[in-house]
């Protein structure tokens, strides 16, 4: 039989599976479990790699489901201590810089599954057992249930369900709306916090140095967030330019007025 599509033909609009996907997954799994968090040294990275591949190979890449990832999620399960969860929305780099310094805190990418999958792309095909390195579907292909989107929705939901105590979120106050209901944070995470476990959501609205101050704790998008959280019987607090995170921004702009006086 001829291949379904000629070599190099781009079936989908997104970039294909990250080159060496399987090796990267295995390598990151070992780095995380042996070096970053040795308390997880007994995890079976071979099995985790196998479960990750099985979650999407030989399947329609526009019909990925939460169930596809259940075996992977179970193998990689990890307990995050109360008061240590950090969510973010449009502030990935800054949030990660902060948790790199505050090593007791966890973003999703500081957990095993998030660490393994961060910035990777992957998909397969229902008609073959191979990895598609040519192209992967995205929302532009009218395919919101693609393996990568479904993965982040599924693990974000689980990350939020598991959170307890006081949880944090780093938001971008230089955007028109620091809180966006359509983001993973607004669409998935806040709705999956358990009011019986999560006492407070603490928001840190960070403004880019030298950037515009579009949105702050007193803006309408943050009022929206506050009302969603309060209705769920979780306490909401908000701080503009939370100092410990502001200091990280100041490392790159030490001479900026907001970094030299009264911050
Ligand atoms: O849509 P977002 O941000 O609000 O999602 C961020 C939010 C965080 O709190 C994480 O816990 O949701 C979780 N999360 C990731 O950890 C993650 N890593 C990589 C959600 N998405 C993640 N990605 C990819 O970035 C994924 O492809 C998704 O679509 C984007 C979302 O980034 P965003 O809009 O800045």
């Amino acid at each position: 039989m001829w291949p379904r599509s000629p070599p190099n033909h781009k079936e989908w609009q997104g970039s294909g599976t990250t080159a060496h996907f399987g090796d990267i997954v295995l390598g990151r799994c070992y780095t995380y479990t042996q070096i970053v968090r040795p308390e997880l040294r007994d995890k079976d990275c071979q099995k985790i790699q196998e479960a990750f591949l099985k979650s999407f190979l030989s399947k329609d890449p526009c019909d990925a489901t939460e169930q596809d990832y259940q075996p992977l999620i179970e193998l990689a399960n990890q307990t995050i201590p109360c008061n240590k969860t950090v969510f973010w929305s449009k502030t990935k780099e800054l949030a990660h810089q902060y948790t790199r310094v505050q090593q007791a805190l966890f973003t999703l990418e500081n957990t095993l599954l998030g660490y393994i999958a961060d910035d990777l792309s992957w998909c397969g095909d229902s008609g073959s057992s191979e990895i598609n390195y040519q192209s992967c579907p995205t929302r532009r292909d009218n395919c919101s249930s693609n393996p990568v989107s479904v993965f982040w929705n599924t693990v974000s939901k689980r990350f939020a369900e598991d959170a307890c105590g006081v949880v944090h979120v780093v938001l971008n106050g230089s955007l028109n709306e620091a809180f966006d209901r359509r983001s993973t944070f607004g669409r998935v995470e806040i709705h999956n916090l358990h009011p019986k476990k999560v006492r407070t959501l603490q928001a840190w609205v960070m403004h880019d140095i030298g950037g515009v101050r579009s949105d702050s704790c007193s803006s309408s998008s943050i009022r929206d967030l506050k009302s969603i959280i309060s209705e769920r019987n979780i306490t909401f607090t908000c701080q503009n330019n939370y100092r410990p995170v502001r200091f990280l921004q100041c490392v790159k702009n030490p001479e900026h007025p907001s970094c030299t006086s009264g911050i």
Side-chain angles (χ1 to χ4, degrees):
M1 260 244 306
W2 295 107
R4 252 170 29 88
S5 37
N8 296 322
H9 168 75
K10 292 226 186 313
E11 190 178 357
W12 308 107
Q13 303 209 37
S15 44
T17 303
T18 308
H20 310 288
F21 178 83
D23 291 343
I24 294 174
V25 166
L26 190 61
R28 285 184 176 179
C29 181
Y30 282 127
T31 302
Y32 189 88
T33 57
Q34 300 301 311
I35 296 164
V36 181
R37 302 276 172 195
E39 61 273 24
L40 296 188
R41 73 179 75 78
D42 294 337
K43 293 281 182 203
D44 186 337
C45 286
Q46 298 278 359
K47 273 199 178 155
I48 287 175
Q49 180 203 41
E50 197 181 291
F52 203 154
L53 293 169
K54 265 199 183 159
S55 67
F56 69 93
L57 289 181
S58 305
K59 292 182 184 177
D60 177 353
C62 285
D63 196 20
T65 64
E66 268 191 39
Q67 287 69 37
D68 292 338
Y69 290 109
Q70 287 318 308
L72 173 62
I73 287 175
E74 267 151 49
L75 283 172
N77 105 77
Q78 174 179 11
T79 309
I80 305 304
C82 291
N83 309 314
K84 302 302 180 197
T85 297
V86 178
F87 301 107
W88 51 266
S89 190
K90 315 291 188 284
T91 53
K92 184 177 177 183
E93 198 188 324
L94 190 58
H96 288 162
Q97 286 170 349
Y98 185 58
T99 60
R100 210 182 157 83
V101 176
Q102 290 295 350
Q103 297 225 357
L105 300 181
F106 289 81
T107 64
L108 181 50
E109 291 72 24
N110 298 125
T111 69
L112 175 56
L113 266 189
Y115 185 91
I116 290 175
D118 195 18
D119 291 330
L120 300 183
S121 187
W122 62 90
C123 67
D125 185 298
S126 53
S128 113
S129 56
E130 305 204 333
I131 293 179
N132 188 347
Y133 289 107
Q134 301 303 330
S135 66
C136 289
T138 67
R139 286 233 237 84
R140 279 184 294 149
D141 295 292
N142 227 331
C143 170
S144 52
S145 294
N146 61 73
V148 175
S149 299
V150 171
F151 173 86
W152 288 114
N153 286 337
T154 306
V155 298
S156 301
K157 179 176 164 207
R158 178 67 181 255
F159 185 55
E161 284 170 349
D162 289 346
C164 49
V166 179
V167 303
H168 306 92
V169 63
V170 186
L171 297 173
N172 188 337
S174 292
L175 299 176
N176 287 330
E177 296 197 323
F179 170 65
D180 177 358
R181 287 171 173 267
R182 295 157 305 176
S183 65
T184 308
F185 174 67
R187 197 168 37 82
V188 179
E189 290 174 330
I190 56 172
H191 301 287
N192 283 286
L193 297 171
H194 281 305
K196 289 207 173 111
K197 291 197 295 177
V198 175
R199 190 156 53 91
T200 304
L201 173 69
Q202 226 164 49
W204 298 325
V205 178
M206 305 304 302
H207 299 95
D208 294 343
I209 287 181
V212 276
R213 249 188 100 91
S214 316
D215 220 13
S216 66
C217 286
S218 52
S219 70
S220 68
S221 89
I222 299 294
R223 276 201 305 274
D224 261 12
L225 172 59
K226 182 187 164 76
S227 72
I228 296 172
I229 292 296
S230 308
E231 271 170 34
R232 306 206 54 228
N233 291 319
I234 295 169
T235 311
F236 179 79
T237 68
C238 184
Q239 259 177 283
N240 290 311
N241 294 332
Y242 175 63
R243 275 163 56 90
V245 177
R246 188 63 172 181
F247 290 146
L248 290 169
Q249 295 176 301
C250 286
V251 171
K252 288 186 183 164
N253 300 271
E255 306 304 338
H256 190 272
S258 75
C259 294
T260 56
S261 60
I263 65 159

